Amino acid sequence: MRYAHEVGKVRAAERALMARLPDGALMQRAAAGLASVCARLLPAVYGSRVVLLVGGGDNGGDALYAGARLARRGARVHAVQAGSKIHEGGLAALLAAGGRLPAGGAEAAIAGADLIIDGLTGIGGAGGLRDPHARYAELAGRSAALVVACDVPSGVDASTGRVEGAAVHADVTVTFGTHKPGLLIDPGASYCGVVELVDIGLGPDLPAPDVVAARPSDVRPPEPGPESDKYRRGVVGVLAGGDEFTGAAVLCTGGAVHGGAGMVRFASVAHPVELVRHRWPEAVTTVIEPGRQDAGVLDRIGRVQAWVVGPGLGTGDSGESLLEAVLATDLPVLVDADGLTVLSRRRDLLRRAAPTVLTPHAGELARLIAADRAEIEGARLDHVRRAAAELAATVLLKGSTTLVAEADRPVRVNPTGTPRLATAGTGDVLSGLVGALLAGGLPAIEAAAAGAYLHGLAARLAAAPTPGAESPISAYDVIKALPAAFRTLPQ
């Protein structure tokens, strides 16, 4: 896992470590790591043109000391001072190593740079950048230079990923001690480029992480054993689709079929059942009559280990009665799409002891927790935590960065998403996939996080089966790529 900690916890760990180290030693560790990454990025350090964008805080000091190290290796280093303050020890070290303050103005220095180090604000910054910081960020963005952010791109909120106004767009972000949530969560993540973590010794002083992001070895879907059969592997029940939205039925069932379930039981009205039988003959289907359902409807469908309910189901009496019946069971349930719309007016149905996974996009979450969609998009971490606590459920918030939250647990950040998933039906595939993992016995947060990871990876593989060029994809393409996504996981 990649672990991320919010700023207050990082600051506390830094203070604890600095109390045991000689004065300035921690900054020197950070500067050494930053300089090492920058040296690797340059074709040659000697003769390269390096510009430091330097604010008045410790990140400015990190940049200055890193610049001094590069200057001692023959780089031509200029420091552009933003504001009235500058780290005096760092500036003295830079000047002693041959670095300079630009004589011809900041604009010319930035325009002529091979590499720019952003040390304007760091992890303590909040809100958008103001001049002159904003102007320097804009000039860096216009230049042809590689931009390396020191700890976090200036203008990105390190704890949340918020970006309010101007910010630095980095090609590489060198972060110290631990990841920060804003490096992993959009919109901030989109400003970071490649993130390099430098170990400065904070580990023993850091508490439990606030956010985690999976590596391939952390994704462990259920594996069949020698004694497995279709029932032991897990039976997932899918209640989806109707006469109006038949595609949701086919796609959700496909996600479950290719998600590792031992059996998929699908139930709906006659037409979507006919389509599912035709496309997925391995699914066991049940036709239910239109209209409100009685409490025995689930018995007629058959025994399952988990339910998926909602995609294309409709929000009238029939859909509501099916959702009510499923949530009255003691089985894990995933609710998506129309099911979430029903829950927004029937939150009482969430009073249950069994695991519940909700998979909203920002608009659906806005209805569930009576929030503004734009506010959710701007502060995804805050709102997914609020939703998990308020709804007593595992909440998978879909979007540019998919987040999975449970109360009192680190938030899971999915690292495999792609904008190619922004097409109709892909959410239905995800629902079926996560439902299969639930039926296979994974805990709710593990099933949701693993499903998001494999779903995003399948989309990437479908869009670019060979590296180098991407093409548009459909939701069905994601289903077809799921086996390949599973095969990428370590055995």
Side-chain angles (χ1 to χ4, degrees):
M1 289 284 189
R2 285 182 292 168
Y3 300 104
H5 295 79
E6 294 174 357
V7 170
K9 295 178 181 178
V10 176
R11 293 294 197 210
E14 288 174 342
R15 288 192 296 270
L17 180 56
M18 284 190 289
R20 303 192 301 270
L21 293 175
D23 188 40
L26 191 61
M27 183 172 286
Q28 290 299 335
R29 289 182 184 181
L34 177 59
S36 177
V37 173
C38 291
R40 293 201 313 267
L41 294 172
L42 290 165
V45 176
Y46 188 87
S48 62
R49 297 164 297 179
V50 176
V51 170
L52 317 175
L53 304 180
V54 181
D58 286 347
N59 266 45
D62 296 335
L64 288 164
Y65 280 118
R69 289 172 180 267
L70 295 172
R72 288 197 294 269
R73 295 179 59 178
R76 292 179 286 170
V77 183
H78 290 86
V80 174
Q81 180 176 345
S84 58
K85 297 181 180 179
I86 194 166
H87 192 282
E88 293 183 1
L91 179 59
L94 176 67
L95 297 177
R100 296 287 182 268
L101 298 173
E107 291 83 352
I110 293 170
D114 299 310
L115 184 142
I116 297 169
I117 298 178
D118 161 34
L120 289 171
T121 60
I123 64 173
L129 298 178
R130 296 183 290 274
D131 284 335
H133 301 68
R135 183 165 61 90
Y136 293 153
E138 181 184 358
L139 290 170
R142 285 192 213 156
S143 78
L146 276 171
V147 178
V148 178
C150 181
D151 222 0
V152 64
S154 297
V156 172
D157 188 304
S159 287
T160 66
R162 280 180 180 261
V163 178
E164 300 175 3
V168 169
H169 280 267
D171 298 295
V172 177
T173 297
V174 180
T175 199
F176 308 125
T178 181
H179 290 85
K180 287 76 186 174
L183 305 180
L184 305 176
I185 300 169
D186 278 331
S190 65
Y191 288 73
C192 295
V194 176
V195 178
E196 296 262 3
L197 175 64
V198 171
D199 183 3
I200 57 173
L202 293 185
D205 297 295
L206 286 168
D210 299 291
V211 168
V212 297
R215 301 183 189 276
S217 59
D218 300 313
V219 181
R220 300 186 183 91
E223 285 291 329
E227 301 301 318
S228 292
D229 58 32
K230 60 189 177 186
Y231 299 106
R232 289 176 178 151
R233 289 189 63 190
V235 181
V236 59
V238 176
L239 299 171
D243 287 325
E244 187 175 0
F245 297 108
T246 56
V250 175
L251 294 169
C252 187
T253 304
V257 166
H258 281 283
M263 180 191 292
V264 180
R265 295 187 185 275
F266 174 78
S268 188
V269 293
H271 187 41
V273 167
E274 179 185 358
L275 295 175
V276 167
R277 282 175 179 164
H278 177 73
R279 184 63 197 84
W280 306 112
E282 53 269 85
V284 177
T285 58
T286 301
V287 175
I288 57 180
E289 295 302 316
R292 189 166 187 86
Q293 304 299 317
D294 61 41
V297 64
L298 302 187
D299 293 331
R300 296 192 292 274
I301 295 168
R303 293 181 63 184
V304 303
Q305 277 78 53
W307 287 102
V308 176
V309 58
L313 195 62
T315 60
D317 283 349
S318 177
E320 182 173 333
S321 62
L322 286 169
L323 180 64
E324 188 170 0
V326 165
L327 289 174
T329 70
D330 59 359
L331 296 172
V333 176
L334 181 145
V335 185
D336 186 27
D338 287 340
L340 297 172
T341 300
V342 173
L343 280 181
S344 67
R345 65 176 188 257
R346 291 289 313 277
R347 279 181 44 171
D348 59 291
L349 297 179
L350 288 171
R351 297 188 194 118
R352 61 194 308 263
T356 309
V357 179
L358 310 178
T359 58
H361 54 60
E364 290 164 334
L365 187 64
R367 293 194 293 274
L368 278 169
I369 62 172
D372 180 76
R373 177 172 185 155
E375 290 180 0
I376 290 174
E377 293 284 19
R380 299 173 61 78
L381 182 59
D382 294 341
H383 285 88
V384 77
R385 282 175 172 154
R386 173 191 160 190
E390 193 173 304
L391 303 173
T394 303
V395 179
L396 186 157
L397 176 57
K398 295 180 284 196
S400 55
T401 304
T402 292
L403 303 179
V404 183
E406 276 185 3
D408 302 320
R409 300 280 296 274
V411 174
R412 305 290 185 96
V413 177
N414 181 51
T416 64
T418 166
R420 298 290 183 185
L421 279 169
T423 188
T426 56
D428 304 324
V429 177
L430 175 63
S431 294
L433 170 58
V434 176
L437 297 173
L438 285 169
L442 282 187
I445 194 167
E446 300 294 340
Y453 186 99
L454 290 161
H455 184 251
L457 186 55
R460 289 185 179 183
L461 293 170
T466 56
E470 286 194 357
S471 62
I473 59 173
S474 70
Y476 183 63
D477 293 324
V478 178
I479 296 175
K480 291 192 296 181
L482 279 173
F486 275 85
R487 287 194 295 271
T488 66
L489 301 179
Q491 298 299 310

